Amino acid sequence: MTETTQTQMKPPGGAKPRSPEFRLAADALRGLRQDLFHDAFAYRPLPRMRVDGPLARRLPERVREYAAWTPHAVITACGLLAMAVASTANQGGPGIGSLVPSLLALLPVLLTLVRPVGAFWFSMAATPFAAAFSDSWSEWPWSEGAFITHLVVLTVVALRTRPRTAAWMWVLTAWYGFMSESLFGAGHMGSNAAPLLFLSALALLVVTVLHVRRAAEQEVTAHQSETAQERSRRTLLEERTTIARELHDVVAHHMSVVAIQAEAAPYRVENPPPELEQAFVTIRENAVAALTELRRVLGVVRAADYEAPDAPQPTLADLGALLANVREAGLSVEKTVTGAVRELPQGVELSAYRIVQEALSNTLRHAPGATARVEIGYVLGGLGLRIVNGPARTTTLVKSTHGAGHGITGMRERVTMLDGEMTTGETDDGGYEVTVFLPVPLRAAEESG
């Protein structure tokens, strides 16, 4: 047989270990002190109601300003109702016997607007005074006005605090009701402690459900916002990864050409001087080193299953095939070229092709049935692109998201990489326009030519 002994941590000083029940009770008392005693009369004014909802936006501007005070007006009306009931129920006639119960019914309700937890204690303390001044002995321990006051106070304070605070208020109310009935209930015709506890429990249950629903909505909203940001960030990283891969292929191609030409150049010159041979050797070594370093640094953005394309990267000369494909997909598109057509650096050619491709893809997605036009302008300082489409001719149930999609983000990344400029926006006829300028230095253009 194996005997297992369990040791409990003993408090310092050799005292007996405290049981779980004792710790539970201590935690409960600590929560009670924190919720109802710590800063009980702290100043916490009730904020105005938001008026940016779908119903409030339809109200006139002047009416909307007053609508923000709706919670304050409702609480004040409840206080006046309790005051009227307390004044009517008092049969003592005018004087202090009628004024005190009325004020004790009104003031706790109004106090919930600025000091909610303090209003609960005020209502508890005012209950026996209101009963002492009241001439109505039919109900105990709450007079008619105090009954409405305490029910309103419990509900408002529960709305303004958390469910645990509401539970503590209900427990203290039940304790006061039962103690009053046991000690001072004799001689009274009836007790209203049970009805008050039932109605307040029902009200607190509804308030707790509202709290839980509001917290769930906030959590869902925060989760959706976080998911949207994460999706946007992931898409942006994917776009940058794609650009980095393509840039790697372009630069690697040119560096390989430099290394091969540097190795072959000495053989094209008869009896080259040693200094020239050494210079070409240095150029080749630097090109190979740069190529190795480029592959090492940019290799981290490649996926494990990514393979460099066998075919050369597309250029503006391949736009004819791209336009033919989108025409087969149902998009009527025209191309216009202005300026002296010339070969541009491969990075500019590839980025221009991808920008036109993404812009036409957006037209197919968001403007079905529209016509599009691609304008390419070869100017002295670079390349200009303008892709514009008309309004959609086919009504869709999906709302267009022009300017907010990730395709626009990818285009901007490419333009920013080349120090270019890009503008997007809707046209006067309801279409959409993308305008891009990619600068090309004269020396780069001459070398690529």
Side-chain angles (χ1 to χ4, degrees), residues 333-413:
V333 58
E334 298 177 356
K335 184 181 76 169
T336 303
V337 181
T338 57
V341 179
R342 63 186 185 277
E343 185 178 354
L344 300 175
Q346 187 173 357
V348 176
E349 293 263 356
L350 174 60
S351 294
Y353 179 91
R354 296 301 189 198
I355 290 171
V356 174
Q357 183 182 39
E358 185 60 39
L360 294 179
S361 298
N362 286 341
T363 303
L364 286 171
R365 286 194 297 266
H366 305 301
T371 59
R373 185 171 68 256
V374 178
E375 300 176 2
I376 304 174
Y378 292 86
V379 296
L380 186 61
L383 178 70
L385 299 173
R386 182 173 180 266
I387 305 95
V388 59
N389 62 268
R393 295 183 180 178
T394 304
T395 304
T396 60
L397 298 178
V398 180
K399 184 180 179 181
S400 175
T401 56
H402 275 313
H406 301 301
I408 298 293
T409 303
M411 286 190 280
R412 291 192 186 279
E413 287 289 326

Side-chain angles (χ1 to χ4, degrees), residues 200-212:
S200 60
L202 187 61
L204 296 183
L205 178 62
V206 173
V207 171
T208 302
V209 171
L210 292 177
H211 277 298
V212 173

Side-chain angles (χ1 to χ4, degrees), residues 41 50 68 71 96 103 142 146 149 176 184 192 215 231 235 245 271 278 282 289 321 330 339 360 391 405 413 429:
F41 286 86
R50 297 179 58 181
I96 191 172
L103 292 178
W142 281 275
T149 297
Y176 173 81
F184 308 103
N192 56 5
R231 186 185 300 112
T235 304
R245 290 170 176 171
N271 298 323
Q278 184 61 36
T282 303
L360 294 179
E413 287 289 326
D429 60 352

Side-chain angles (χ1 to χ4, degrees), residues 15-29:
K16 291 182 60 177
R18 294 173 178 176
S19 63
E21 292 79 5
F22 180 85
R23 290 196 297 267
L24 183 63
D27 293 338
L29 292 177

Side-chain angles (χ1 to χ4, degrees), residues 209-287:
V209 171
L210 292 177
H211 277 298
V212 173
R213 179 180 178 183
R214 186 184 308 165
E217 290 177 351
Q218 292 176 353
E219 184 177 356
V220 170
T221 302
H223 181 69
Q224 290 177 347
S225 177
E226 183 179 354
T227 302
Q229 293 178 0
E230 183 64 27
R231 186 185 300 112
S232 178
R233 189 182 302 111
R234 184 172 61 251
T235 304
L236 181 60
L237 291 177
E238 291 175 356
E239 291 288 347
R240 290 181 177 178
T241 301
T242 303
I243 295 172
R245 290 170 176 171
E246 295 175 349
L247 179 62
H248 172 271
D249 296 334
V250 172
V251 176
H253 168 73
H254 285 291
M255 295 303 296
S256 300
V257 172
V258 170
I260 293 173
Q261 290 179 346
E263 184 177 8
Y267 300 100
R268 298 183 181 182
V269 180
E270 186 177 357
N271 298 323
E275 294 82 1
L276 182 61
E277 291 183 356
Q278 184 61 36
F280 280 120
V281 170
T282 303
I283 293 174
R284 182 183 181 280
E285 291 177 352
N286 290 334

